[in-house]
Amino acid sequence: MFEPRIVAFVCNWCTYTGADLAGTSRLPMATNVRIVRLPCTGRIDPLFIVKAFERGADGVIVSGCHPGDCHYSEGNYHARRRFRLFKELMDFTGIDSDRVTFSWVSASQGQKWADVVNGTTERIRALGPFEGYPGSEEVA
Amino acid sequence: MRFGYYPGCSLHATAREFSESLLTLVKALDVQLDEVEDWACCGASSAHATNHLLGVALPARTLAIAEGQGLDNIVAPCAACYGRLAGAAHEIEGDAALKGQVAEILKRPLGTPPEIINVVGFLQSLLPEIQPRVVKPLDGLKVACYYGCLLLRPHKVTRFDDREQPESMEQVCAAVGATPVAWNKRIECCGAGFSLSRTGSVIRMGREILDDARAAGAEAVVVGCPMCHSNLDMRQPAMNRGQAGAGALPVLYITELVGLAMGLDPKAMGLQRHYVSTQPLLDRLSTAVAVAEGEVS
Amino acid sequence: MSHSEHGPPLTREIRARTGIDPARCYQCGKCTAGCPMADEMPTRIQQIMRKIQQGREELLEDPSIWLCLSCEQCSSRCPQQVEPARLVDALRELAMERAPGTAPRRIGAFHTAFLEQIKLNGRLYEFGLVLGYKLRSGALLDDVESAPGMMARGKLALVPTRIDGLDDVRRIFEACERRDSSSEEEAK
Amino acid sequence: MARIGVFVCHCGENIARTVDCAAVAGSVADHPSVVCSVDYKYMCSDPGQNLVKDAITEHGLDGVVVAACSPHMHLKTFRRAASNAGLNAYLVEMANIREQCAWIHPRTPETTVKATDLVRAMVEKVKQNVPLEPIRIPVTPTALVIGGGIAGIQAALDIAEAGRDVIIVEKEPSLGGHMSQLSETFPTLDCSQCILTPRMVDAYQHPRIKLYTYSEVEKLEGYIGNFEVTIRKKGRSVDIDTCTGCGACMEVCPSKKALDEFDMGLRTRTAVYTPFPQAVPNKPVIDREHCLHYKAEARAIARGKPVKAVCQKCAKACAADAISFDGGDELIKEKVGAVVVATGFQLYSVAKDQPEPYLEGYGEYGYGADPDIVDGLQFERLASASGPTGGKILCPSNGQAPKTIVFIQCTGSRDPAKGIEYCSGVCCMYTAKHAMLYQHSVHGGRAVVFYMDIRATGKGYDAFTRRAAEESGAEYVRGRVSAIYRADGKLVVKGVDTLGGEPMTVQADMVVLATAIRPQPGIKELAQKLSISYDQHGFLNEAHPKLRPVETNTAGIFLAGCSQAPRDIPDSVAMASATAAKVLALFSRSEMEREPQVAKVDQATCSGCFHCERACAYGAVEHLEVKDRRGNVLRVVAQINPGVCQGCGTCAANCPSKSIELDGFTDAQVFASIQALSL
């Protein structure tokens, strides 16, 4: 069976803590996801996502505080706005935007984090390996 | 000026004077009304009370035809028709699934529905035309502006100026020289929906409204709804029965009132069709005009 | 889980038909306080709201739902925007489908006669309405004082106006009535 | 070349049960720059920490990765240990192989592979960490208190009593706020002014409290410990130092038509006035909107004509020569280290016309149209011994005692349709108090209270409401009122008794609406000046609803009383004291330390587009002028104030020229981490 590799960019205050809670609650999760901790989703540069795919990831998760709950009061709004643009950009470059999951997971939502991890893994598994940008070989 | 026009069933029958006064008025104002072709009944008040889809689909047919005719707006003088047309437009605009379902039933495309205009809004928009033509100002005739339910509610559909303390009828009446009185029952229901089926309730409600108007010193009640009118006018003898000091209180359509101020022929406007005689009122106004003219000369 | 999955069957049905969640009602009673028919209704509008929350099926046979005038004062003033008048419309619609004949005789007769006129002519023929209503309700001698007056005042047309697009109207009725029976089957 | 040490923890069996810790340590040992890699049973224990410390010395480490639990659990522990061993604390990172690995995966090779991955990513990150020192910020130990009601007074007194300076800014001419308007207070029925006035005087006379009445905050700049506030001192026209408070000016003033704000419009006052007899300071101001001289002056200016002296009878009557018509507003700057916002409330005025588009008012209740329909504060004035009726409860329309009075709770509260869905918290209590005051004042009168629920959760509160119903004999009726109108001289109140299931109409002489509590008008503008956030209703947002209830998300700014949510007096006072404790803790040191992981701008590449400024929720981005030797401005670039920056990094992600880096989370570090994953 294809085991996708997935990178998760999460904020320190909500989702990272929610993932800690999922761990403390011993919620079983697929082993496919690697978390990169950042202070806030506002810090996430779309280039991080591009970099992950370039390095060989098959999927990416971006997760932070719920709207209105940002530890930094509005970082996640900036992130949301940026990712809306980024999704369009992905479609343009040919990365299937289904390979990126955006979600809100609060510090109390351990189960939701487990669902995001497992759901994304299943979805990416169904999509198959990320084969690189169309035409990237010619360029290379 | 041109407007789309939906007379509705009442204006062809029980509310003939509403129709007559409106048409006389628009003629005097040089406003043209384009009637929606082959319109059907809006369904008020039985359709929506018993079958929601029917309550939307019947008026939606009218909307679709009007749209096909290229009408941007429809004046619906009857408050009940206004409520049903505006309500249906509001519902299908807010619910794409319903819109599709209705379009399928009608076998007609539904685009953007025309704007539905009630009689008060219609007259308000025509005030710049009306005011220069006021030749017989109403000499401070004390009127109780009665809104009832259907012009006002539901607010999200009608967007009337204020759901609790509306002012637009008063503004129109004051603009033609009448004096609107402050009273309490302006937005209460008169019960007209039960006029035939539960007459006792209707007599009680109508009596409370008329008593309050009288207590406020009104010489006439002004309405914009044929159901309210037929109720308060036709059933008034029963409402007044056994009430000490309850004199007959004429109930005028707002179009009739504006027409009188413009000096239009009362008969052409159907004032003789009322159950509660309008003659004493007409006499009072013509005396006032005569006196005023005497003073001038 | 979506809201439509909560509660007893009647509550769910009302929610599905109206898009309004009856659970929002917090029983302040402002509806009853302003209802012009409150003194005449055995079950007051605020109590009807409570019974919808509880899914009490006997509501469909309660004459109170037919005593609502649809004046919308309750909906206009409801702090929770529950729109009681809209919910009562839905109850009546359900009652017509599931428990026909439970409306008080006169009120049911009025609605039936009214809709029959539209089906026949596409427009309301008021003389026909009065006639149809009286035959159904048995209230033959009411209003004898006013009807002749109406004729004299030119307010009752003796001949109905029929619209050209009568087929349209009949199709609308058929489609709406079909939906009634299909939703009735779903309910079963 | 970096020298990194890796320390893999078993956490007893917690990690070792599923992750092969020795294998992780072993495979990472070969990673470039790793000079030592060990595993141990309990890394957070003293021996475990010593293992780290010893390795730092022995191997000369310049970076440490501890692979163990969540950094939220023990990052501080290991940073402290490293610091003790002479390694900069910020050169330590943790890889979370417990919560993110051992506890959620089965014991399979893949789990160990993932753990190794997480450690490698952290090694790559830590290689690029730089030593950081906590940021030290000097603190100005003076507090600014905005609002001179009971909350502001309490906060000011607590701070001043602890020996710190306080500046109070109050927009009205006197201290006291709404509490000074109240008749008696629940649940003890003691006289409000009797308990408040001594506090007002204490604050006024305190050597450490500087008071600006009739003043407002114009601007706040700076950051925690180092704010500079600009205060607009409105032109008072009465010199507060020479005025003796004799009142001769008010006796001669011919302009008597202004509605008295303190008495809630129930009577009028002169244009030169003190709001109430116990005002602090007890010195009048001239209300320029109503003063004949100022009105004439405004007219003359509008018409472009010369200004002439008009009236000025007050100035002639003033023996102390304290009145002058020359002065205008004055702007004053003060340096402060902390801010307490205690701006209080206004009542939802439920008349038809509303200032906010989302509020609808209660046309159906006729408030504003009928003088005998009053709100809670108006009733307080009617019941107050210092009020317009001398404490007799009388109908404003005819001066008669109301034989029947109706109280309506939740007017405007818990009513999303009218715009406010929240519970105002205090109305159940003050309505019970009103019903009691009425029964004490009008013997044999009938009081009907329409309520929805009784919410009386404070100490002694429930007993108080029960007393109103049981001993004072107020009729409590559960239900809302649909409409109020006047007929036959009476106010007809159309209500409902939902427990009896019946409509209920009361013929009343007076109606008291317990209207909702709203934040002060202008609160949003103030919040914008202070860079703090507010909710949809304008209440100021606390930093955390449970654990940081009096702090805001802007460091150094604190909240007390109704500025944050509807509060009663005891809660407002408790919050005020809590803010004082926070302020004093901040002032306890002359310098404060801050986490150093903040954003920095590379001024060489910054294009001065200021996208970062728009992205920053804290106002940490400043404009820096780059000048040549002659002082000509070459260009303007961004600069981050480290005292204000909270380290979220939104600016860095938004920077089009990639000129901003966030310490600890630089682009290079994130890229290196990704690169290290076995993808």
Side-chain angles (χ1 to χ4, degrees):
Chain A
M1 189 166 58
F2 164 59
E3 288 300 341
R5 295 294 177 178
I6 297 162
V7 180
F9 297 102
V10 308
C11 85
N12 182 44
W13 303 99
C14 290
T15 305
Y16 196 90
T17 313
D20 276 354
L21 175 64
T24 316
S25 316
R26 313 292 203 276
L27 301 176
M29 266 177 258
T31 52
N32 309 58
V33 174
R34 311 282 186 265
I35 288 181
V36 175
R37 180 173 71 108
L38 293 161
C40 177
T41 46
R43 172 68 190 95
I44 302 172
D45 191 318
L47 282 178
F48 297 173
I49 302 170
V50 174
K51 171 75 187 171
F53 282 115
E54 208 178 85
R55 174 71 184 94
D58 304 301
V60 165
I61 296 171
V62 172
S63 181
C65 304
H66 284 262
D69 280 349
C70 178
H71 177 82
Y72 301 103
S73 66
E74 51 193 48
N76 55 359
Y77 288 119
H78 288 282
R80 195 165 57 173
R81 220 170 302 148
R82 216 177 298 134
F83 295 135
R84 225 179 2 242
L85 285 174
F86 180 65
K87 270 211 157 182
E88 285 169 24
L89 191 72
M90 284 176 67
D91 293 334
F92 179 73
T93 55
I95 307 177
D96 187 347
S97 58
D98 269 359
R99 291 188 180 274
V100 184
T101 300
F102 298 98
S103 70
W104 293 310
V105 175
S106 77
S108 60
Q109 291 179 310
Q111 184 61 54
K112 184 172 179 193
W113 174 248
D115 294 344
V116 168
V117 165
N118 293 329
T120 306
T121 305
E122 281 314 308
R123 208 178 63 241
I124 305 294
R125 183 172 285 141
L127 284 174
F130 176 61
E131 308 283 6
Y133 309 104
S136 58
E137 281 142 48
E138 289 94 279
V139 175
Chain B
M1 265 190 289
R2 299 173 75 124
F3 291 85
Y5 179 48
Y6 177 84
C9 308
S10 298
L11 270 79
H12 280 195
T14 46
R16 247 176 100 170
E17 60 269 48
F18 196 6
S19 164
E20 287 164 349
S21 57
L22 177 77
L23 297 177
T24 311
L25 189 65
V26 295
K27 196 171 162 211
L29 293 171
D30 218 7
V31 167
Q32 188 178 328
L33 294 180
D34 299 327
E35 189 163 330
V36 179
E37 288 156 11
D38 199 43
W39 53 268
C41 172
C42 70
S45 51
S46 291
H48 72 96
T50 53
N51 184 314
H52 185 67
L53 186 60
L54 186 62
V56 176
L58 275 175
R61 176 180 177 274
T62 299
L63 297 177
I65 294 174
E67 208 190 314
Q69 254 172 279
L71 300 177
D72 298 333
N73 55 39
I74 302 175
V75 176
C78 166
C81 301
Y82 162 70
R84 289 323 304 159
L85 289 174
H90 180 85
E91 283 210 40
I92 56 182
E93 278 308 277
D95 184 344
L98 179 69
K99 191 173 187 171
Q101 191 184 3
V102 171
E104 197 180 313
I105 293 173
L106 297 178
K107 294 199 169 49
R108 286 173 200 274
L110 285 171
T112 308
E115 182 197 1
I116 314 298
I117 303 172
N118 63 54
V119 67
V120 179
F122 179 59
L123 293 179
Q124 248 184 333
S125 69
L126 291 177
L127 275 182
E129 316 292 319
I130 291 171
Q131 272 173 311
R133 293 179 170 84
V134 171
V135 293
K136 291 182 172 181
L138 297 172
D139 184 42
L141 180 76
K142 288 188 188 157
V143 293
C145 294
Y146 177 64
Y147 293 80
C149 327
L150 295 164
L151 276 176
L152 292 178
R153 297 185 285 264
H155 186 69
K156 66 179 175 190
V157 172
T158 67
R159 292 276 151 220
F160 216 80
D161 64 85
D162 187 280
R163 73 171 90 184
E164 294 292 345
Q165 295 179 359
E167 287 168 3
S168 23
M169 267 177 108
E170 277 83 354
Q171 282 163 4
V172 171
C173 293
V176 296
T179 304
V181 298
W183 61 307
N184 298 318
K185 301 279 181 180
R186 297 189 301 156
I187 66 166
E188 299 292 319
C189 177
C190 71
F194 288 170
S195 184
L196 282 174
S197 53
R198 212 177 152 89
T199 314
S201 312
V202 173
I203 302 286
R204 170 180 61 79
M205 285 183 234
R207 180 180 291 152
E208 285 174 13
I209 290 164
L210 295 171
D211 284 352
D212 191 51
R214 275 189 206 101
E219 299 169 77
V221 175
V222 177
V223 300
C225 169
M227 323 238 312
C228 299
H229 188 271
S230 71
N231 205 21
L232 295 177
D233 182 44
M234 183 177 90
R235 301 220 179 264
Q236 194 175 119
M239 291 166 183
N240 293 350
R241 199 168 292 149
Q243 298 282 98
L249 193 59
V251 183
L252 297 182
Y253 283 107
I254 190 164
T255 42
E256 294 175 328
L257 188 84
V258 173
L260 287 176
M262 286 168 57
L264 305 179
D265 176 15
K267 196 153 184 207
M269 295 196 293
L271 267 86
Q272 74 286 2
R273 297 185 194 279
H274 289 222
Y275 278 75
V276 176
S277 171
T278 53
Q279 198 53 50
L281 188 103
L282 295 175
D283 292 346
R284 169 186 170 328
L285 288 176
S286 54
T287 315
V289 170
V291 170
E293 280 166 357
E295 276 168 5
V296 173
S297 62
Chain C
M1 193 159 53
S2 82
H3 283 294
S4 60
E5 291 163 31
H6 290 291
L10 180 71
T11 318
R12 295 206 302 248
E13 180 67 39
I14 294 291
R15 192 160 37 215
R17 282 179 185 237
T18 61
I20 297 167
D21 188 355
R24 284 218 305 266
C25 171
Y26 57 22
Q27 288 289 301
C28 72
K30 199 173 181 183
C31 47
T32 300
C35 175
M37 292 297 285
D39 283 326
E40 300 183 31
M41 286 161 100
T43 308
R44 267 100 191 192
I45 181 68
Q46 151 243 341
Q47 294 168 318
I48 292 175
M49 293 301 105
R50 182 75 191 118
K51 288 188 171 189
I52 294 175
Q53 291 178 331
Q54 295 170 326
R56 302 264 285 268
E57 301 277 341
E58 75 263 25
L59 266 182
L60 300 181
E61 290 166 28
D62 191 324
S64 301
I65 64 174
W66 298 99
L67 293 180
C68 165
L69 275 159
S70 302
C71 79
E72 305 244 7
Q73 190 64 281
C74 50
S75 300
S76 172
R77 289 184 179 155
C78 175
Q80 292 290 90
Q81 291 154 312
V82 181
E83 299 186 36
R86 174 78 188 86
L87 301 196
V88 169
D89 275 352
L91 282 174
R92 289 194 282 228
E93 188 178 68
L94 261 179
M96 295 281 271
E97 292 165 24
R98 293 195 194 161
T102 51
R105 189 171 178 198
R106 291 181 167 208
I107 293 169
F110 176 80
H111 288 313
T112 313
F114 189 108
L115 293 175
E116 189 183 73
Q117 282 307 315
I118 304 175
K119 221 190 287 188
L120 276 174
N121 303 311
R123 290 185 190 167
L124 183 63
Y125 169 47
E126 284 169 308
F127 192 70
L129 166 67
V130 175
L131 208 65
Y133 162 70
K134 285 181 181 293
L135 287 173
R136 282 187 174 76
S137 65
L140 282 171
L141 296 175
D142 289 5
D143 285 320
V144 280
E145 59 183 320
S146 60
M150 290 184 100
M151 302 245 191
R153 288 172 172 79
K155 286 182 167 227
L156 272 187
L158 283 172
V159 189
T161 319
R162 221 161 252 174
I163 68 167
D164 297 335
L166 209 53
D167 284 351
D168 275 5
V169 173
R170 290 193 177 137
R171 196 172 58 247
I172 293 170
F173 269 90
E174 275 164 26
C176 295
E177 281 157 10
R178 201 164 48 237
R179 187 182 160 271
D180 284 0
S181 52
S182 66
S183 60
E184 203 176 346
E185 275 154 27
E186 279 163 29
K188 280 171 191 164
Chain D
M1 188 68 184
R3 301 181 62 80
I4 310 295
V6 175
F7 303 86
V8 183
C9 178
H10 294 206
C11 197
E13 276 296 299
N14 275 309
I15 295 173
R17 191 178 293 126
T18 46
V19 175
D20 185 342
C21 296
V24 173
S27 58
V28 177
D30 299 335
H31 194 85
S33 305
V34 173
V35 295
C36 113
S37 180
V38 295
D39 60 303
Y40 184 70
K41 205 162 181 64
Y42 284 110
M43 210 56 90
C44 62
S45 66
D46 277 348
Q49 291 188 44
N50 287 335
L51 200 67
V52 178
K53 289 190 213 170
D54 294 345
I56 290 172
T57 326
E58 188 183 327
H59 295 284
L61 300 181
D62 57 9
V64 165
V65 173
V66 182
C69 52
S70 167
H72 290 175
M73 186 77 97
H74 274 310
L75 185 58
K76 275 195 177 147
T77 312
F78 293 111
R79 285 191 165 167
R80 205 181 309 120
S83 184
N84 289 341
L87 181 71
N88 184 283
Y90 293 90
L91 301 176
V92 177
E93 295 285 357
M94 287 184 77
N96 183 349
I97 61 168
R98 190 178 74 173
E99 283 85 347
Q100 283 179 18
C101 207
W103 276 352
I104 54 171
H105 300 320
R107 186 182 174 89
T108 58
E110 175 60 20
T111 302
T112 299
V113 168
K114 175 173 169 181
T116 313
D117 245 20
L118 295 176
V119 177
R120 278 208 195 97
M122 219 34 93
V123 168
E124 284 305 316
K125 180 184 179 194
V126 86
K127 275 187 195 170
Q128 305 198 45
N129 277 19
V130 291
L132 298 171
E133 291 303 328
I135 297 171
R136 290 178 193 284
I137 308 169
V139 172
T140 308
T142 299
L144 169 69
V145 174
I146 307 174
I150 183 59
I153 292 172
Q154 182 70 39
L157 283 173
D158 284 354
I159 297 167
E161 281 300 297
R164 299 299 187 179
D165 290 329
V166 182
I167 295 163
I168 300 180
V169 175
E170 165 58 51
K171 80 174 172 191
E172 297 298 330
S174 169
L175 281 181
H178 284 307
M179 187 176 166
S180 61
Q181 293 175 284
L182 306 182
S183 52
E184 293 172 10
T185 52
F186 60 77
T188 45
L189 293 185
D190 38 7
C191 153
S192 185
Q193 286 202 336
C194 308
I195 56 177
L196 176 66
T197 310
R199 295 288 178 102
M200 290 160 61
V201 174
D202 283 353
Y204 186 47
Q205 294 178 343
H206 202 290
R208 286 201 173 271
I209 297 179
K210 196 194 266 184
L211 179 60
Y212 292 100
T213 54
Y214 214 45
S215 301
E216 292 184 51
V217 168
E218 180 83 2
K219 190 162 75 171
L220 186 80
E221 293 168 295
Y223 53 94
I224 181 169
N226 299 275
F227 294 108
E228 184 178 72
V229 60
T230 308
I231 298 163
R232 174 175 292 274
K233 214 173 145 193
K234 287 180 276 189
R236 201 172 172 118
S237 310
V238 176
D239 181 37
I240 209 162
D241 297 323
T242 50
C243 168
T244 60
C246 71
C249 51
M250 292 183 260
E251 281 165 28
V252 300
C253 179
S255 164
K256 298 178 198 295
K257 285 189 189 149
L259 287 181
D260 188 319
E261 297 87 351
F262 187 77
D263 277 333
M264 300 304 294
L266 290 170
R267 65 175 158 193
T268 55
R269 59 161 171 78
T270 48
V272 56
Y273 73 107
T274 48
F276 54 104
Q278 301 82 357
V280 168
N282 201 345
K283 310 286 170 75
V285 298
I286 293 181
D287 165 5
R288 298 188 176 188
E289 230 177 276
H290 291 93
C291 167
L292 298 182
H293 170 77
Y294 283 109
K295 276 162 77 174
E297 182 187 277
R299 271 196 307 271
I301 291 169
R303 292 179 196 155
K305 296 199 171 147
V307 175
K308 279 186 244 158
V310 175
C311 182
Q312 304 204 345
K313 286 185 179 157
C314 51
K316 287 162 207 149
C318 180
D321 211 10
I323 297 181
S324 155
F325 290 87
D326 299 332
D329 292 2
E330 208 181 324
L331 292 178
I332 296 161
K333 284 183 189 293
E334 295 272 9
K335 291 200 180 300
V336 297
V339 181
V340 175
V341 187
T343 46
F345 71 94
Q346 63 174 324
L347 285 185
Y348 180 4
S349 172
V350 294
K352 179 182 160 185
D353 294 322
Q354 289 296 322
E356 304 269 357
Y358 71 90
L359 294 174
E360 208 181 291
Y362 279 67
E364 66 267 43
Y365 285 1
Y367 177 81
D370 195 302
D372 293 338
I373 303 173
V374 300
D375 68 20
L377 274 175
Q378 287 173 321
F379 189 83
E380 293 287 345
R381 295 314 300 149
L382 289 173
S384 170
S386 70
T389 55
K392 293 197 187 100
I393 294 169
L394 304 173
C395 291
S397 68
N398 58 11
Q400 301 289 309
K403 292 199 182 71
T404 301
I405 188 165
V406 169
F407 297 92
I408 304 177
Q409 296 192 178
C410 295
T411 306
S413 302
R414 303 175 66 198
D415 191 341
K418 299 286 191 192
I420 292 180
E421 75 283 1
Y422 55 82
C423 166
S424 289
V426 296
C427 331
C428 289
M429 290 302 294
Y430 80 62
T431 298
K433 176 188 77 177
H434 287 173
M436 286 186 202
L437 294 177
Y438 170 74
Q439 300 287 16
H440 298 168
S441 169
V442 182
H443 297 287
R446 179 188 183 207
V448 180
V449 178
F450 283 99
Y451 72 99
M452 293 219 298
D453 298 288
I454 295 297
R455 293 176 171 177
T457 57
K459 188 174 182 180
Y461 285 13
D462 192 58
F464 185 78
T465 58
R466 294 312 312 157
R467 255 169 64 205
E470 293 166 16
E471 291 173 27
S472 295
E475 287 172 50
Y476 270 74
V477 180
R478 194 202 171 279
R480 268 195 194 267
V481 166
S482 177
I484 305 169
Y485 53 84
R486 191 174 279 278
D488 297 331
K490 292 279 184 182
L491 290 169
V492 181
V493 180
K494 287 188 70 79
V496 61
D497 173 5
T498 58
L499 300 180
E502 289 178 336
M504 174 170 168
T505 300
V506 184
Q507 312 277 329
D509 301 300
M510 189 193 281
V511 174
V512 183
L513 305 176
T515 52
I517 296 251
R518 294 183 57 218
Q520 278 282 356
I523 188 84
K524 292 178 184 173
E525 293 75 15
L526 179 68
Q528 280 155 12
K529 286 176 194 167
L530 305 184
S531 283
I532 56 178
S533 60
Y534 47 86
D535 67 17
Q536 57 185 348
H537 301 290
F539 288 115
L540 303 175
N541 285 338
E542 64 279 15
H544 189 282
K546 286 161 287 279
L547 301 179
R548 297 169 70 197
V550 302
E551 293 159 76
T552 65
N553 268 327
T554 301
I557 300 185
F558 306 97
L559 308 174
C562 290
S563 62
Q564 180 255 359
R567 299 279 173 199
D568 61 9
I569 295 170
D571 281 0
S572 297
V573 170
M575 274 183 95
S577 289
T579 59
K582 290 283 172 193
V583 169
L584 291 169
L586 174 63
F587 290 175
S588 65
R589 281 163 294 174
S590 58
E591 283 189 330
M592 50 180 289
E593 284 192 358
R594 287 274 322 277
E595 274 289 312
Q597 293 188 322
V598 294
K600 294 197 176 83
V601 180
D602 181 348
Q603 274 138 13
T605 57
C606 171
S607 68
C609 73
F610 291 101
H611 275 51
C612 47
E613 189 177 22
R614 288 185 284 281
C616 181
Y618 304 98
V621 178
E622 296 169 351
H623 292 226
L624 177 75
E625 292 178 343
V626 180
K627 296 178 179 167
D628 66 11
R629 265 178 300 179
R630 268 177 257 143
N632 300 318
V633 177
L634 297 175
R635 53 203 184 93
V636 181
V637 296
Q639 171 173 272
I640 311 269
N641 184 326
V644 183
C645 175
Q646 303 284 316
C648 70
T650 304
C651 54
N654 263 296
C655 178
S657 63
K658 300 272 158 247
S659 303
I660 305 184
E661 284 292 13
L662 178 66
D663 282 331
F665 297 95
T666 62
D667 283 356
Q669 286 179 305
V670 177
F671 287 148
S673 294
I674 297 169
Q675 192 65 35
L677 297 173
S678 60
L679 296 173

